[in-house]
Amino acid sequence: MKYRCGVCGYIYDEEKEGVRFADLPDDWQCPVCGEGKEGFEPVEEDDEGPAPAPAAAPAPTASVPEISAWEQEELRELSAGQLSALCSNLQRGCGVQQLSREAELFGQIAGYFESRTVAPDHDGVSTILSMINSDLMDYGDAKATAALMEDRGALRVLTWSEKATLIMRTVLERYQKDPSFLEHTGVYVCDICGFIYIGDDPPEFCPVCKVPGHMILRIQGGA
Amino acid sequence: MPRMIASRNLRICTKDCMCLYVCPTGATDTETGQIDFAKCVGCGDCARSCPNSAISMIPLDYPHQQPKDDTVVQKVRAISDSKARQEAVARQVAETTDDPELRLIMRAVRRSERLMGEDLIRETGYLLPQSGEVRRLLEAFVENPPEGFPVEAAEELLQRLNFNA
């Protein structure tokens, strides 16, 4: 019998482990993301594939529309933080195309917008957790809309960031309960999807986006 | 002018130098380890001959951005906005706290939120630096720059990037 972690997808295989899932101690945690036992579901034998494809929507047209009035309006409404992320991503995009000067220029613009970003009133970790919980309520609807409109790119990013967000919630909840769990171990972030991992060595592959472990980078402590 | 040029991933390259052996113009024969884009004719022989697949062909003109549905864009943007706010909180906590564990975890959260935010916003039509969407964004900044905005950077980008729309 196999059990799948509802957060990161890790499979606990009773046969391989030699211990029945039910016999694991109550405080047992997922070795990848730290989720508790209660977050695991038994895996049906024919239930290891992806979810079925949604019903077909009309094929997108090949023409390129000019920027819509709606889009123009929205562009002005992007926050400084969103614009910073937009530009730092274009910086990465130029980097992989070997356009180093262009990358540097997008980096300058991203830095400008980051310097203009103001944090909302907050209470630290608790505020982040409540914002995470609010995001987690929005993913289902956003994914359904992306699937309906056959936007595979949006569906991909929503799927990944929902998983990385669930894992971040687990990590922050553990931190709130016992901050000492971060002592004498490493904190890693997947440089591609944002998956957070607490442990001595990063996993061989990112459980969210499947890049090899060398893309999962250690976060440096210190002042 | 070639429609594609070769680019080497130095993290994968093990200096087997088959690219150098097959290149008709000596474009891979450089000191920098990268392909000389001025000499590359885009034939792709190096990419096909590399035993590690360390060379990929980069298109010089990319296809247009596929149209995005407004509702999808709106929903993805709403989540990216939340990520940006969380990033700002994590950043402020990381920069002000004296608690080393809190600082460490907030640095990780800040980085993760940035990566998720980047990935979300790029899927709302900003995947490609050379797209018409990015050109219009840069033009809007130059035309009506917010206070302190580095206008020269946006102008130089408008000049340098080979936009496809």
Side-chain angles (χ1 to χ4, degrees):
Chain A
M1 188 80 189
K2 293 176 183 173
Y3 292 81
R4 184 194 286 116
C5 174
V7 172
C8 72
Y10 172 80
I11 302 278
Y12 184 89
D13 185 343
E14 290 183 326
E15 206 175 316
K16 238 189 259 174
E17 305 286 341
V19 178
R20 282 174 9 116
F21 189 76
D23 294 341
L24 290 167
D26 287 343
D27 61 352
W28 182 86
Q29 287 169 331
C30 171
V32 172
C33 74
E35 175 70 2
K37 259 180 99 173
E38 68 285 356
F40 278 69
E41 294 280 351
V43 182
E44 305 295 330
E45 281 311 314
D46 56 350
D47 179 34
E48 291 194 54
T61 50
S63 70
V64 181
E66 270 305 297
I67 194 162
S68 65
W70 180 86
E71 199 179 352
Q72 232 157 24
E73 188 58 38
E74 282 299 295
L75 209 53
R76 277 194 289 274
E77 284 173 12
L78 286 178
S79 70
Q82 284 174 296
L83 287 166
S84 182
L86 197 163
C87 290
S88 63
N89 187 253
L90 292 170
Q91 178 184 6
R92 281 161 82 96
C94 288
V96 295
Q97 287 187 41
Q98 313 289 347
L99 301 171
S100 53
R101 176 63 183 158
E102 288 82 348
E104 189 186 325
L105 292 165
F106 276 120
Q108 277 177 27
I109 300 178
Y112 162 78
F113 281 116
E114 184 170 33
S115 74
R116 304 273 293 194
T117 304
V118 184
D121 285 341
H122 65 84
D123 187 21
V125 175
S126 314
T127 303
I128 295 176
L129 271 170
S130 66
M131 291 165 96
I132 285 175
N133 282 320
S134 153
D135 289 352
L136 289 171
M137 288 194 285
D138 292 338
Y139 276 107
D141 175 47
K143 284 200 299 187
T145 311
L148 186 72
M149 301 315 294
E150 293 196 321
D151 188 331
R152 287 177 301 138
L155 193 56
R156 173 201 62 80
V157 68
L158 290 165
T159 303
W160 287 3
S161 88
E162 183 180 29
K163 286 186 185 174
T165 303
L166 275 162
I167 293 167
M168 185 188 285
R169 176 170 73 178
T170 306
V171 167
L172 289 178
E173 282 172 347
R174 266 175 95 183
Y175 171 81
Q176 269 194 328
K177 263 185 233 153
D178 178 18
S180 71
F181 97 104
L182 294 176
E183 284 171 14
H184 314 299
T185 189
V187 177
Y188 295 82
V189 175
C190 172
D191 203 39
I192 301 303
C193 70
F195 156 68
I196 298 181
Y197 179 74
I198 313 291
D200 294 340
D201 298 299
E204 199 178 340
F205 292 97
C206 172
V208 176
C209 73
K210 318 298 181 212
V211 294
H214 71 81
M215 304 298 291
I216 306 175
L217 305 183
R218 187 162 184 160
I219 300 295
Q220 299 302 321
Chain B
M1 183 144 165
R3 296 184 56 81
M4 294 192 126
I5 48 169
S7 170
R8 175 182 289 132
N9 184 338
L10 292 168
R11 296 182 72 153
I12 301 175
C13 172
T14 53
K15 311 296 185 288
D16 298 85
C17 297
M18 286 305 291
C19 55
L20 199 146
Y21 187 74
V22 299
C23 179
T25 65
T28 76
D29 188 10
T30 62
E31 291 290 314
T32 63
Q34 194 41 264
I35 313 272
D36 185 341
F37 296 156
K39 285 188 186 163
C40 177
V41 291
C43 67
D45 284 354
C46 57
R48 282 186 291 272
S49 71
C50 176
N52 294 310
S53 304
I55 298 180
S56 51
M57 302 304 294
I58 300 181
L60 286 172
D61 41 352
Y62 284 87
H64 293 155
Q65 168 70 51
Q66 289 181 18
K68 286 275 175 184
D69 174 70
D70 284 353
T71 317
V72 175
V73 169
Q74 201 173 23
K75 288 176 198 270
V76 175
R77 274 191 186 166
I79 299 176
S80 83
D81 183 42
S82 175
K83 302 301 182 199
R85 287 168 203 266
Q86 292 166 52
E87 180 192 331
V89 173
R91 176 187 174 199
Q92 197 179 65
V93 175
E95 285 174 352
T96 53
T97 183
D98 294 324
D99 175 342
E101 268 83 43
L102 182 60
R103 184 164 54 229
L104 185 60
I105 195 71
M106 286 297 102
R107 279 183 184 169
V109 169
R110 176 186 177 184
R111 183 72 193 134
S112 173
E113 302 284 7
R114 167 58 62 124
L115 288 161
M116 287 193 282
E118 281 184 351
D119 205 3
L120 287 158
I121 202 102
R122 81 197 273 270
E123 287 292 356
T124 65
Y126 296 95
L127 205 101
L128 188 70
Q130 289 90 347
S131 67
E133 286 75 8
V134 172
R135 178 177 57 77
R136 287 189 286 267
L137 179 73
L138 291 169
E139 283 170 352
F141 289 150
V142 169
E143 204 177 304
N144 193 8
E147 198 193 331
F149 181 84
V151 178
E152 328 74 58
E155 281 171 344
E156 191 179 335
L157 280 167
L158 283 166
Q159 220 165 40
R160 295 180 74 103
L161 283 167
N162 183 26
F163 291 104
N164 70 4

